[in-house]
Amino acid sequence: GENVEQHPSTLSVQEGDSAVIKCTYSDSASNYFPWYKQELGKRPQLIIDIRSNVGEKKDQRIAVTLNKTAKHFSLHITETQPEDSAVYFCAAPSISSGSARQLTFGSGTQLTVLP
Amino acid sequence: DAGVIQSPRHEVTEMGQEVTLRCKPISGHNSLFWYRQTMMRGLELLIYFNNNVPIDDSGMPEDRFSAKMPNASFSTLKIQPSEPRDSAVYFCASSPLAGGPGANVLTFGAGSRLTVL
């Protein structure tokens, strides 16, 4: 099955600075890489995702980059704000029977944006 | 759409009791997933269904856990008998059809926080 490793486990940045979270995956057939944000006591929510036919995707202050050769992808948050403080999870699908169905999640990164 | 609906939101029970968690996926989503979240183990996939059929239950911890999906709009996760180590937040999630534009995009429910004393 898929093995997803995420780091760092904790990250503190000053408001306005950038934050970068990195993940590696093991299944070279994986073709979809989402990032979820989970605020304290809430459900994980999808914030951005990328499919394997592109190398980068941006949505306002967040971006995801993908390096399929090295099997890693990263989340970039620019101009961080206190409301960005949360746990962020990366994920990658386990490919079985030719159809990617279940996501394996990384261990999470607790991001704290200091005012 | 009201999203993925889970109940109960909180459950406190005593060791040995039966626990049943319920989930209503988003209408039209044909895949349903049960995840467990703990500080120690993070988000773990327990089981998932495609078109109401269980596909992979290798994540189910042991025989005390069972899951059913009798129809496209309802699933249950049952723990019998419950143990203190089962205390966790249990999330249900659903996604659209594989191969379509929304494939693999999970929408999570609010979760059921289970405490077993």
Side-chain angles (χ1 to χ4, degrees):
Chain A
E2 180 71 277
N3 182 38
V4 178
E5 295 194 358
Q6 181 174 347
H7 58 93
S9 57
T10 61
L11 179 60
S12 292
V13 299
Q14 289 294 136
E15 182 177 357
D17 287 351
S18 295
V20 180
I21 304 170
K22 299 181 179 181
C23 284
T24 61
Y25 61 97
S26 60
D27 189 342
S28 57
S30 290
N31 57 3
Y32 172 71
F33 307 93
W35 286 90
Y36 284 78
K37 175 183 180 182
Q38 187 177 27
E39 297 176 353
L40 189 62
K42 302 283 183 66
R43 75 194 76 188
Q45 291 194 295
L46 179 71
I47 55 171
I48 194 167
D49 57 12
I50 191 168
R51 296 193 186 268
S52 58
N53 55 345
V54 297
E56 183 176 1
K57 183 177 177 181
K58 274 184 153 179
D59 182 3
Q60 299 184 342
R61 295 186 298 106
I62 59 174
V64 56
T65 59
L66 171 65
N67 183 328
K68 285 220 74 179
T69 303
K71 290 192 282 188
H72 68 70
F73 57 111
S74 300
L75 177 71
H76 304 252
I77 306 174
T78 59
E79 299 171 32
T80 52
Q81 301 167 4
E83 52 264 38
D84 295 329
S85 296
V87 179
Y88 292 81
F89 293 95
C90 63
S94 298
I95 307 295
S96 61
S97 303
S99 172
R101 293 311 299 148
Q102 71 259 43
L103 290 177
T104 298
F105 283 83
S107 54
T109 297
Q110 172 69 62
L111 173 65
T112 303
V113 180
L114 304 169
Chain B
D1 197 318
V4 177
I5 307 298
Q6 290 188 247
S7 65
R9 292 293 312 278
H10 303 274
E11 174 96 5
V12 180
T13 191
E14 291 188 347
M15 183 174 64
Q17 296 298 305
E18 178 179 294
V19 174
T20 300
L21 308 179
R22 298 172 178 80
C23 177
K24 178 178 173 10
I26 291 174
S27 178
H29 282 190
N30 75 330
S31 294
L32 183 142
F33 305 78
W34 283 100
Y35 282 88
R36 179 172 68 176
Q37 186 175 39
T38 61
M39 287 295 293
M40 291 298 295
R41 301 175 69 89
L43 269 167
E44 301 174 275
L45 178 67
L46 300 178
I47 186 172
Y48 78 97
F49 297 83
N50 281 354
N51 293 320
N52 314 337
V53 176
I55 302 301
D56 184 354
D57 65 354
S58 59
M60 296 286 261
E62 48 197 272
D63 292 346
R64 297 184 297 106
F65 285 69
S66 62
K68 293 182 180 179
M69 192 165 185
N71 58 63
S73 58
F74 184 66
S75 177
T76 59
L77 178 67
K78 187 174 291 188
I79 309 171
Q80 167 62 20
S82 58
E83 296 183 2
R85 60 191 167 124
D86 302 330
S87 298
V89 179
Y90 291 81
F91 285 103
C92 176
S94 67
S95 73
L97 183 65
N104 291 121
V105 180
L106 292 185
T107 301
F108 283 83
S112 294
R113 180 175 295 276
L114 173 65
T115 303
V116 183
L117 303 174

